[in-house]
């Protein structure tokens, strides 16, 4: 669109309404436009010469009136509200959602004469330029100019907001331009801006601006006076408080506080009373009194908040307070009953805990060794600690150390730090409320260390009976007696516990549960627990013993019983859905019965099929035994021999220790091969491949040494090994069989897989004697000292069975 000019300088320009924005002549400003008609007006202006007419529209938060008054009303002397600004668009950028970002320059004032809203998607304004006064009195104009600059400087000095603009103001000689520059640069309200824009007369406009500046300076002055009065009032209150506190302490020293009960007590007085009632060493009380005196003077400061938190922490700690049963002897029979009630099996663990409690009761000393329960997840370590707390009548507090890597978590932060707090041990005492609780240090093997410090080193002082009598928390800054605390730690693997820390604890190993133990735990504990948890009653839910055993054997593979509990909970949830689904139906109103034949309908396909023996005896295939974090398992070792250059290949994701064990096994076999009729150059002309199936599972450790040696010798000599035979033991280069660990789990895994004979290191005989007969019954255990015995047993078994089969065939013939 092209602008049209009449003979009377009347122009037609696109009209844009700018919400809560006033643009003055000579002012460059950047803003975003979202109104569709304003966007259309800006686009039309850019298609022409870039000029458009803008007026301010009020947003709803300012007024409900629209911006087009055209009513002829005047706000003040010489004010015309139909005056707007002609602007030149110098830059236009399109934004998302149809918005425009404009940069415009104020070209001059004009008066809106008429608008035509129907001619285009935007309004067209018919405007006439405002003719400014010709200043004839130069002295008066200069006087007003200097007064404006003076008031602007005064405003700047009181607000520190426009100091950088004063140099620009002083350079402006034109009075009208100076007024517009000042009003556009200062943070005045919209009404004042409109007043200045809508006043065409220059002198009148300047007088209005002077009035606005003086009014703003008076407002600033009054605000400053009010703030000073409030500050003085606060200072007076603080002064009065300090004087009253000083007067209280002076009267207290002179014994003149007889009327204290008749007045409201201050916070410091309440702290003083609490100190007098506190059962604590005199050193603690003296420290508290000192902190209270400091608190009085820092009451209104940030330091006062720190002092208050510190005093409250010291008052809440149980310095000399003990549990109710502190002086009573522990009832050993009661402790036995509680352990038996809460846990099935774990005979050795229960005996050791009872022995520990008995010795502690007889000696009366609290510096007995600290127990550390080590075992796989879900075996009841935490619940044993809870049962011991119940048996001893001590409060139970748990501290989880898993993932703790900052020493300050144990020793606390110094109170000078922002957000400082005591360490976990002190917080546990505060939570227990007595100085002799049972504190469970859970997952002590999961601690880590970094640049913040070594957490394990901090725990040394906590667990050492010679040091923890005067344990110092960085926050408390006073010695705390931890000698009467009964510490019990738990861990999954003691190899991850630093040696100095492990040396301060007595380790009790908790092995995984047998299938029979899991069955009894499920029947006596877990079923009742899961039924209550899922809202199922015994009248709704029936599960046979066979189904429970199938859940244990085919749906869980763990040392503990957590997964078993989840499977039983799933059965209860399925039962709840089935009960509610058939509600109201006449048939099938009895309980849901789950048996070993229909259990797959509820739990899905079997997850862990039972391990099966090989279909036949083979050469180069031997079954080993391994320990895992979830119990024992059998481990097949397969060896193939092929023509080659004497290379040894190891596959199955083996660890370094197991690789070294395989090389030691090969070395031993080569040293005795000639006695089995193997040619001297056999190993130079053949490659040997040792593989352990389930290659996705990492494997490591030395206990498969005799298994790999037997498999290599079997493959080299083509002699078969009994498929019902399993073995475990470390091998030396001389063929000696050395002891290994995890025998309970390994024997149980062999029994579950259907193995009938297990070869074990002779030195492990004493360990096997401690295993329950429930595990060893039905399986033949043979103890060996040397590989000669292993080979003799493995190969001899096959030959005997082969001869017996041949004899049977002959007899049938």
């Amino acid at each position: 669109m092209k602008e049209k000019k009449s003979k009377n300088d009347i122009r037609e320009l696109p009209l844009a309404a700018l919400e809560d924005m006033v643009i003055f002549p000579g002012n460059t400003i950047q803003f975003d436009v979202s109104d569709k008609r304003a966007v259309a007006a800006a686009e039309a202006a850019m298609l022409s010469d870039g000029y458009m007419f803008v007026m301010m529209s009020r947003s709803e938060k300012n007024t409900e009136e629209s911006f087009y008054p055209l009513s002829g009303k005047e706000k003040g002397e010489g004010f015309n509200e139909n005056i707007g600004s002609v602007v030149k668009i110098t830059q236009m950028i399109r934004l998302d959602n149809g918005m425009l970002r404009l940069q415009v320059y104020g070209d001059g004032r004009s008066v809106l004469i008429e608008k035509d809203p129907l001619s285009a998607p935007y309004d067209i304004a018919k405007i006439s330029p405002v003719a400014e006064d010709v200043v004839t009195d130069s002295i008066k104009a200069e006087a007003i100019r200097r007064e404006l600059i003076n008031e602007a400087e005064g405003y700047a000095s009181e607000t520190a907001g426009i100091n950088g603009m004063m140099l620009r103001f002083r350079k402006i000689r034109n009075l009208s331009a100076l007024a517009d520059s000042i009003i556009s640069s200062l943070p005045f309200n919209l009404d004042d801006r409109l007043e200045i824009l809508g006043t065409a007369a220059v002198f009148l406009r300047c007088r209005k601006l002077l009035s606005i500046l003086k009014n703003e300076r008076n407002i600033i002055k009054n605000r400053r006076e009010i703030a000073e009065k409030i500050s003085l009032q606060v200072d007076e209150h603080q002064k009065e408080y300090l004087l009253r506190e000083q007067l209280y302490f002076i009267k207290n020293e002179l014994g003149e506080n007889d009327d204290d009960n008749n007045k409201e007590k201050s916070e410091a007085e309440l702290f003083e009373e609490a100190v007098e009632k506190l059962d604590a060493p005199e050193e603690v009380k003296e420290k508290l009194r000192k902190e209270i005196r400091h608190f009085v003077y820092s009451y209104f400061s940030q330091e006062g908040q720190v002092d208050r938190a510190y005093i409250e922490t010291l008052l809440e700690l149980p310095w000399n307070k003990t549990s109710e049963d502190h002086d009573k002897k522990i009832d050993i029979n009661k402790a036995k009953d509680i352990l038996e009630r809460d846990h099935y099996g774990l005979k050795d663990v229960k005996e050791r805990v009872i022995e520990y409690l008995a010795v502690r009761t007889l000696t009366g000393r609290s510096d007995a060794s600290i127990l550390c329960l080590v075992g796989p997840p879900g075996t009841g370590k935490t619940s044993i600690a809870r049962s011991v707390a119940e048996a001893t009548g001590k409060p139970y507090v748990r501290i989880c150390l898993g993932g703790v890597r900052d020493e300050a978590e144990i020793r606390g932060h110094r109170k000078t730090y922002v957000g400082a707090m005591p360490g976990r041990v002190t917080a546990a005492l505060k939570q227990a409320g007595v100085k002799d609780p049972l504190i469970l240090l859970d997952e002590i093997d999961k601690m880590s260390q970094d640049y913040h410090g070594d957490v394990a080193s901090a725990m040394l002082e906590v667990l050492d009976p010679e040091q923890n009598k005067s344990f110092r928390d960085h926050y408390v800054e006073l010695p705390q007696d931890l000698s009467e605390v009964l510490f019990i730690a738990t861990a999954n693997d003691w190899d991850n516990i630093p040696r100095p820390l492990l040396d301060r604890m007595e380790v009790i190993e908790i092995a995984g549960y047998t299938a029979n133990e899991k069955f009894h735990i499920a029947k006596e504990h877990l079923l009742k627990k899961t039924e209550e948890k899922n809202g199922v009653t015994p009248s709704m839910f029936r599960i046979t013993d066979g189904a429970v055993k199938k859940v244990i054997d085919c749906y869980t593979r763990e040392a503990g019983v957590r997964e078993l509990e989840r499977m039983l909970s799933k059965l209860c949830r399925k039962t709840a859905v089935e009960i509610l689904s058939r509600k109201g139906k006449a048939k099938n109103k009895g309980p849901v019965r789950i048996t070993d034949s229909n259990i797959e309908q509820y739990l899905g396909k079997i997850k862990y099929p039972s391990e099966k023996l090989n279909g036949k005896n083979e050469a180069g295939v031997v079954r080993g035994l391994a320990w895992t974090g979830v119990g024992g398992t059998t481990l097949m070792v397969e060896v193939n021999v092929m023509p080659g250059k004497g290379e040894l290949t190891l596959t199955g994701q083996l660890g370094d220790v197991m690789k070294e064990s395989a090389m030691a096994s090969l070395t031993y076999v080569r040293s005795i091969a000639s006695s089995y009729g193997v040619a001297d150059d056999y190993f130079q002309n053949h490659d040997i491949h040792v593989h352990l199936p389930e290659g996705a599972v990492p494997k490591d450790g030395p206990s498969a040494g005799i298994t790999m040696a037997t498999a290599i010798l079997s493959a080299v000599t083509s002699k078969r090994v009994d498929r019902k035979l399993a073995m475990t033991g470390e091998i030396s280069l001389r063929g000696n069989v050395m002891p290994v660990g995890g025998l309970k789990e390994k024997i149980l895994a062999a029994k579950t897989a259907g193995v009938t004979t297990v070869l074990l290191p002779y030195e492990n005989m004493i360990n096997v004697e401690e295993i329950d007969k429930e595990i060893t019954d039905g399986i033949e255990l043979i103890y060996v000292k040397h590989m000669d015995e292993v080979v003799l047993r493995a190969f001899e078994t096959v030959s005997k069975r082969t001869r017996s089969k041949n004899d049977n065939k002959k007899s049938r013939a």
Side-chain angles (χ1 to χ4, degrees):
M1 168 186 169
K2 294 184 179 180
E3 67 173 71
K4 299 177 182 178
K5 295 186 179 181
S6 67
K7 296 180 180 179
N8 298 323
D9 290 333
I10 295 176
R11 306 167 68 184
E12 291 184 0
L13 292 177
L15 174 62
L18 303 182
E19 187 176 279
D20 295 340
M21 182 181 295
V22 180
I23 301 177
F24 288 89
N27 187 24
T28 299
I29 186 171
Q30 189 179 73
F31 55 91
D32 294 342
V33 177
S34 60
D35 181 70
K36 294 182 179 179
R37 298 186 69 80
V39 169
E43 291 175 339
M46 287 299 292
L47 292 175
S48 181
D49 54 3
Y51 285 96
M52 68 177 180
F53 184 67
V54 297
M55 295 188 74
M56 189 195 80
S57 67
R58 293 184 180 272
S59 61
E60 294 182 358
K61 62 183 180 182
N62 288 323
T63 181
E64 296 180 358
E65 298 179 1
S66 66
F67 85 101
Y68 297 125
L70 292 175
S71 59
K73 294 189 300 180
E74 293 185 350
K75 187 176 180 183
E77 181 186 358
F79 174 75
N80 186 351
E81 61 184 358
N82 292 324
I83 292 179
S85 298
V86 175
V87 298
K88 170 74 171 178
I89 302 176
T90 59
Q91 187 181 32
M92 183 173 74
I93 301 174
R94 296 187 182 276
L95 304 177
D96 296 336
N97 302 323
M99 295 178 62
L100 293 179
R101 176 162 296 168
L102 302 179
Q103 180 176 298
V104 302
Y105 171 76
D107 188 62
R109 288 177 173 81
S110 292
V111 180
L112 177 65
I113 298 174
E114 185 182 358
K115 69 180 181 70
D116 183 6
L118 301 176
S119 60
Y122 52 89
D123 296 330
I124 297 177
K126 185 179 291 185
I127 61 174
S128 175
V130 174
E132 294 193 350
D133 300 343
V134 178
V135 179
T136 57
D137 190 346
S138 60
I139 296 177
K140 181 180 179 181
E142 181 63 21
I144 293 177
R145 191 184 76 84
R146 294 183 182 184
E147 185 66 18
L148 281 173
I149 293 175
N150 184 58
E151 287 295 330
E153 286 180 343
Y155 182 88
S157 64
E158 293 173 353
T159 60
I162 59 171
N163 284 323
M165 302 179 186
M166 293 311 303
L167 183 61
R168 178 164 60 87
F169 292 161
R170 292 191 188 98
K171 292 180 179 180
I172 301 175
R173 310 304 298 179
N174 183 278
L175 197 59
S176 176
L178 177 62
D180 290 342
S181 180
I182 291 176
I183 191 66
S184 64
S185 302
L186 300 183
F188 295 144
N189 59 48
L190 291 175
D191 288 334
D192 291 338
R193 290 171 175 270
L194 279 176
E195 183 76 29
I196 299 301
L197 180 67
T199 303
V202 177
F203 285 124
L204 181 57
R205 190 191 315 161
C206 292
R207 286 199 299 270
K208 288 183 178 181
L209 180 56
L210 284 171
S211 176
I212 293 171
L213 284 170
K214 291 180 183 293
N215 183 57
E216 288 293 327
R217 291 186 65 183
N218 287 332
I219 291 174
I220 293 172
K221 181 180 178 181
N222 289 332
R223 288 182 60 185
R224 184 181 296 112
E225 291 176 354
I226 293 172
E228 290 175 353
K229 289 180 180 179
I230 293 174
S231 178
L232 289 173
Q233 189 176 5
V234 171
D235 292 341
E236 287 294 326
H237 283 306
Q238 186 171 7
K239 179 180 178 181
E240 181 182 354
Y241 175 81
L242 295 176
L243 290 174
R244 288 186 181 278
E245 290 298 324
Q246 292 174 7
L247 180 62
Y248 166 76
F249 282 108
I250 292 172
K251 286 186 176 182
N252 192 44
E253 292 295 325
L254 296 175
E256 298 178 359
N257 268 344
D258 296 334
D259 60 336
D260 281 353
N261 295 327
N262 298 324
K263 70 180 183 69
E264 185 178 354
K265 296 178 179 177
S266 67
E267 198 170 3
E269 294 172 43
L270 296 175
F271 284 153
E272 281 286 340
E273 290 184 1
V275 171
E276 297 304 320
K277 297 177 182 178
L278 184 65
D279 185 9
E282 189 59 33
E283 179 185 1
V284 176
K285 292 186 175 182
E286 186 59 35
K287 176 70 172 177
L288 277 166
R289 294 188 186 102
K290 180 180 177 181
E291 292 295 327
I292 292 172
R293 287 194 293 270
H294 186 269
F295 169 69
V296 170
Y297 292 97
S298 62
Y299 183 81
F300 287 99
S301 66
Q302 183 65 33
E303 194 175 353
Q305 306 301 322
V306 176
D307 290 338
R308 179 188 288 107
Y310 180 68
I311 293 170
E312 289 174 348
T313 299
L314 293 189
L315 290 174
E316 291 174 359
L317 286 176
W319 297 99
N320 291 334
K321 184 179 179 182
T322 58
S323 57
E324 296 179 0
D325 298 334
H326 176 72
D327 297 326
K328 295 181 180 179
K329 299 292 184 182
I330 298 174
D331 189 342
I332 295 300
N333 292 325
K334 177 185 175 183
K336 288 181 180 179
D337 293 340
I338 292 174
L339 289 173
E340 290 294 337
R341 179 198 68 194
D342 297 340
H343 303 86
Y344 182 88
L346 304 177
K347 179 180 177 182
D348 295 339
V349 178
K350 293 176 184 176
E351 287 181 357
R352 183 62 193 90
V353 171
I354 293 299
E355 292 170 3
Y356 174 80
L357 296 178
V359 171
R360 192 180 177 99
T361 302
L362 289 177
T363 60
R365 294 198 308 268
S366 56
D367 58 350
S369 57
I370 293 161
L371 296 182
C372 180
L373 307 177
V374 179
T379 51
K381 300 183 294 296
T382 303
S383 60
I384 286 176
R386 194 179 293 111
S387 299
V388 172
E390 181 182 351
T392 56
K394 295 178 178 292
Y396 168 81
V397 184
R398 175 177 171 266
I399 299 177
C400 183
L401 298 175
V404 175
R405 55 189 178 87
D406 189 352
E407 178 190 356
E409 293 280 348
I410 306 300
R411 294 184 180 274
H413 303 79
R414 300 195 183 278
K415 65 176 182 176
T416 52
Y417 293 111
V418 177
M421 62 181 65
R424 296 198 181 194
V425 176
T426 300
L429 290 176
K430 179 180 174 182
Q431 178 184 345
V434 294
K435 63 180 292 188
D436 59 338
L438 185 147
I439 296 181
L440 175 66
L441 304 173
D442 208 6
E443 310 289 358
I444 198 171
D445 59 327
K446 305 295 191 305
M447 296 185 300
S448 59
Q449 67 180 62
D450 60 6
Y451 63 92
H452 291 289
D454 187 359
V455 183
S457 298
M459 290 299 299
L460 293 178
E461 183 181 1
V462 175
L463 299 181
D464 192 339
E466 299 299 326
Q467 300 182 48
N468 63 12
K469 294 178 181 179
S470 57
F471 170 73
R472 281 185 179 269
D473 186 282
H474 288 162
Y475 182 83
V476 176
E477 298 178 344
L478 290 168
Q480 296 172 261
D481 186 5
L482 304 181
S483 61
E484 296 190 38
V485 178
L486 177 55
F487 288 105
I488 295 181
T490 68
N492 296 130
D493 185 2
W494 63 13
D495 291 334
N496 296 328
I497 304 175
R499 295 301 102 182
L501 185 59
L502 187 64
D503 183 59
R504 284 162 171 78
M505 301 183 291
E506 181 175 349
V507 176
I508 299 179
E509 287 193 78
I510 301 179
Y513 294 111
T514 65
N516 186 56
E517 288 173 336
K518 290 181 181 179
F519 173 76
H520 286 287
I521 291 171
K523 296 288 288 184
E524 298 176 16
H525 299 281
L526 298 183
L527 278 174
K528 181 179 179 181
K529 180 180 177 181
T530 53
E531 286 173 357
E532 292 177 355
K533 181 179 178 181
N534 294 281
V536 177
T537 62
S539 60
M540 302 177 183
F541 180 62
R542 292 283 190 276
I543 182 169
T544 64
D545 293 350
V548 175
K549 291 179 180 178
K550 190 168 184 178
V551 172
I552 295 170
D553 295 335
C554 303
Y555 290 92
T556 64
R557 181 162 292 178
E558 58 177 345
V561 292
R562 284 181 182 161
E563 185 65 21
L564 174 59
E565 183 179 353
R566 283 191 283 268
M567 289 294 106
L568 294 177
S569 292
K570 185 175 182 180
L571 289 175
C572 290
R573 292 195 301 271
K574 296 285 187 182
T575 298
V577 172
E578 186 171 334
I579 290 291
L580 294 177
S581 298
R582 71 189 188 189
K583 198 170 184 179
K585 296 181 180 179
K587 59 180 181 178
N588 295 331
K589 288 194 174 182
V592 175
R593 292 186 57 85
I594 298 176
T595 64
D596 55 347
S597 59
N598 68 355
I599 195 170
E600 292 189 21
Q601 300 176 14
Y602 299 92
L603 297 182
K605 295 296 182 181
I606 292 175
K607 292 183 179 180
Y608 306 106
S610 300
E611 294 185 29
K612 296 181 180 179
L613 298 175
N614 296 343
K616 60 180 180 178
N617 299 328
E618 299 179 69
V621 179
V622 183
R623 186 179 295 270
L625 301 173
W627 179 92
T628 68
V630 295
T633 183
T634 61
L635 196 67
M636 295 302 298
V637 176
E638 300 176 350
V639 178
N640 268 356
V641 179
M642 65 214 83
K645 300 179 181 180
E647 296 180 354
L648 173 64
T649 303
L650 303 174
T651 57
Q653 203 170 345
L654 310 185
D656 292 338
V657 176
M658 184 168 278
K659 290 178 180 178
E660 292 173 359
S661 183
M663 289 186 283
S665 301
L666 177 59
T667 300
Y668 171 73
V669 171
R670 293 183 65 175
S671 67
I672 64 168
S674 59
S675 60
Y676 287 88
V678 180
D680 294 339
D681 59 349
Y682 181 88
F683 292 98
Q684 284 77 26
N685 299 323
H686 291 82
D687 290 341
I688 298 177
H689 187 162
V690 179
H691 177 68
L692 280 71
E694 297 185 22
V697 180
K699 309 169 189 69
D700 205 357
S703 63
I706 65 172
T707 310
M708 288 189 284
T710 305
I712 293 173
L713 184 60
S714 171
V716 170
T717 60
S718 300
K719 293 186 177 181
R720 293 174 294 164
V721 178
D722 186 7
R723 60 192 180 91
K724 293 187 176 182
L725 174 74
M727 61 186 70
T728 181
E730 182 178 356
I731 189 174
S732 71
L733 289 177
R734 297 292 183 268
N736 297 318
V737 181
M738 294 181 289
V740 293
L743 293 175
K744 176 183 176 182
E745 292 83 358
K746 292 178 179 179
I747 295 173
L748 183 60
K751 188 175 181 180
T752 304
V755 172
T756 58
T757 306
V758 176
L759 303 184
L760 300 173
Y762 183 83
E763 294 181 31
N764 281 127
M765 184 185 296
I766 188 172
N767 305 109
V768 176
E769 290 175 353
E770 298 175 357
I771 299 175
D772 293 338
K773 288 187 177 181
E774 176 189 347
I775 298 175
T776 58
D777 284 347
I779 194 167
E780 182 183 7
L781 303 178
I782 300 175
Y783 300 95
V784 293
K785 296 181 180 180
H786 195 270
M787 271 300 300
D788 291 341
E789 301 175 57
V790 176
V791 173
L792 182 65
R793 295 285 183 180
F795 295 163
E796 186 184 67
T797 306
V798 176
S799 60
K800 283 183 177 180
R801 289 195 177 137
T802 304
R803 286 197 301 269
S804 63
K805 287 181 181 179
N806 293 334
D807 293 341
N808 290 334
K809 289 180 181 179
K810 290 179 181 178
S811 61
R812 291 194 191 99

